[in-house]
Amino acid sequence: MQSGEAPASMEVETSSNGLGTHIGSFLLPPKPKFEPLKAHEMSDGRVQFRKVSVPPHRYSPLKKAWMEIYTPIYEQMKIDIRMNLKARKVELKTRSDTPDVSNLQKCTDFVHAFMLGFDVIDAIALLRLDELYVESFEIKDVKTLRGEHLSRAIGRLSGKGGKTKFAIENATKTRIVIADTKIHILGSFQNIKIARDSLCSLILGSPAGKVYSKLRQVTARLAERF
Amino acid sequence: MAKPSETGMEALHHLKSTDPPALLAPSPTLSQTARTASQHLFSCLKPYAPKSPFDQLLTDGFDAEQIWQQIDLLSQPLLSTLRRQVKHLEKHPEESKIVLKKENEFLDGERKILEEKETKRFDDDVDDDDMDMDMDEFDDEEEEEEGGRRESEKGESEDESGEMVEGKGGEGIEDKFLKIKELEEYLEEDEAREYGLDRKKKKGELKLEEEEEEEEEEEDEEEEDDDDDELDDEYEDAEENARYEDFFGAKKKTVPKRKSSLSNGSDEDSGLNDDGAVEKKGGLSTHEKQLEKLQSEIEQMEKANLEPKTWTMRGEVTAASRPKNSALEVDLDFEHNVRPAPVITEEITASIEDMIKQRIIEGRFDDIQKVSSLPSTAPKEVKQLDENKSKKGLAEVYEEEYIQKTNPAAAPISFSDEQKKEASILFKKLCLKLDALSHFHFAPKPVIEDMSIQANVPALAMEEIAPTAVSDAAMLAPEEVFSGKGDIKEEAEVTQAERKRRRAKKKRKFKAEAVKRMTKKARDNTALLNHNEGNHLSVPNGGLFS
């Protein structure tokens, strides 16, 4: 029929009237112009949910920093957020006036980052910048260590008073959380890589000074580029 | 006295009569007379010298040298033969009578002339030396004088050869005729040598020889009348040929002599040798003595060569292969590759000390002066790794980075850097003022160029001479620096009980603080609640978050 006729030639005659295109003598309906879907209208108008579980050690910090978390999510991201005490989860929900679909995901990431152990001010960067990611890995992924070796490795990673960790953080513009055997890095992709390399070398046993020198070189090179 | 054509004799006489001083001045007449005289002499002597090529002395247009050569050619062989004859006559005086008899007629005048010549020669010997200087001017006199001198010299040289020739000449004749006699002689000689007989016996043999010769001569005498001339000729020939036979005969003698010395076998040679040896032992000339000496030396050296060498002449001699303590006696020479250590004498030390004193007075020490490398460019700011927790949140960090990337001019200068810069500038100003107060020499105010300024200011760095300011911390004593109470113990030092005590203390403190906070909060909440809900007192709903 009209629609069944595949246009053999790409030549389409546009008619002066915006009502339809002319392919031969047939009239086609105008192409629909859709607005992007709002978050609220997605999945056929149903509300989007996200749930982030709260580990017990982050419970009290969450209580302390609740307002700092709540305010930007609710006000700027326009996402509903609440704490489900019984289930020990933070629930996020889209509102009708949520501008973007990705807001919900961002907020979820933000909350999740907080749960991992990052500070609110550091985790807030996730809300503000798009290209930030969180990478997590375990010490045993790098090298199998047991007992005292593991403790020593953790100690090496942190350094005295955390100075090694801070040094890496400052040099690579990342934030690192060392939670027992788990390591979480927050930052841009390239910076995560650099930080990860440094941390891995530390795990494998190289002394801090060596790691520092390498860091210096790399960061200098990075800085030179700009 | 100019007589162009004089006879030879007259010329001679004329020459003789002239005073020697007159001979000094060259005169053509004298030369002419001299020439004629020499011509006469030449022609007189000619029959006795058949060897000479000239029949007559050629003087016309001839140089002094040429004339002399002609005379020489004639006279030399003559002189030698005459000398030999004289010697022979000395040995055999009996013969002289015979000879005189034969040749009286011929030799009389000639001998006289010869005598005259000889006397003239010997008289003018003294003048010869004087005349030597004026060779070119005085041709004719020098001719004869030179000739005389040379002939005399030659005569001496031929003395020995003459002797030799004489002996050989006789034996040459014997050789042809008598061999058996020689055999006998040799045998006797050999026996003498073997048994070490005295020379006297040999002398006796000589006498025997002489007798033999006399016998021979007597034999010859028998044949004299017949073969006078022949003998004469033969004799003369022998005498003349003896010169040639000198060498020839000598060769014969010397060669067989050596052979005989090695192997006393051949008879002929030994015979010759014998006679020669006998004759030599009798009257050795200086030359023969020298030869003997040489011979003995040669024998010694040959003997030494056959023996093994002394250890000093051998290469690579160890201590075992040389006699004990022999190296001490020998003055060994070897190379020292090391410079000999200087002998320290008082003078050397005094000189060194003087130099030191002088240097101290001058103040000129060879100290190494450090070359300060001026920085050509401002030192690059090395970014230190900050080991403290960053006060900025990650978001701010990225924010700043982004701003720097997109809009560098609008980037807000970091707070800490600004503070640092301000602090450093203030400090440098202070330093400058203090330096100006403390140093005697003037240091101008540094020029600060904003563009090149970094954390370290190169211009100032050059100016700073004084040491960096002393911190206050050093001025204070440690107790004053330390702010604490009581006995401070390290974590490791703390005992278990002590640890517990500390923890309990901390807990108490914390609890007190907590109670304080709680009461404070409770007051606030109640105040709020009272405000909100009037009289209704309820537990503040901060349970969730308290």
Side-chain angles (χ1 to χ4, degrees), chain A residues 63 85 170 173 175 212, chain B residues 386-387 390 398 401 544:
Chain A
K63 273 201 267 186
L85 287 165
N170 293 328
K173 293 203 230 359
R175 292 290 175 262
Y212 283 6
Chain B
D386 190 16
E387 283 172 354
S390 73
Y398 277 107
E401 201 186 317
L544 188 69

Side-chain angles (χ1 to χ4, degrees), chain A residues 63 85 119 121-122 125 128-129 132 163 166-167 170-171 173-175 186-188 191 212 215-216 226, chain B residues 380 382-399 401 405 543-546:
Chain A
K63 273 201 267 186
L85 287 165
D119 272 346
I121 41 174
D122 299 330
R128 292 175 70 178
L129 296 159
L132 294 184
K163 60 177 189 156
F166 294 139
N170 293 328
K173 293 203 230 359
T174 55
R175 292 290 175 262
L186 166 70
S188 66
N191 294 341
Y212 283 6
L215 264 179
R216 253 187 245 115
F226 307 115
Chain B
K380 212 173 161 187
V382 179
K383 199 168 184 186
Q384 291 285 336
L385 279 173
D386 190 16
E387 283 172 354
N388 303 317
K389 188 179 167 88
S390 73
K391 283 148 197 113
K392 288 187 269 177
L394 195 62
E396 276 110 44
V397 170
Y398 277 107
E399 189 185 327
E401 201 186 317
K405 252 195 278 179
L544 188 69
F545 299 106
S546 63

Side-chain angles (χ1 to χ4, degrees), chain B residues 127-136 142 146 149:
Chain B
D127 296 338
D128 278 350
D129 301 322
D130 299 333
M131 296 295 200
D132 247 349
M133 314 295 272
D134 317 321
M135 267 178 90
D136 296 326
E142 282 170 0
E146 274 185 64
R149 244 193 311 108

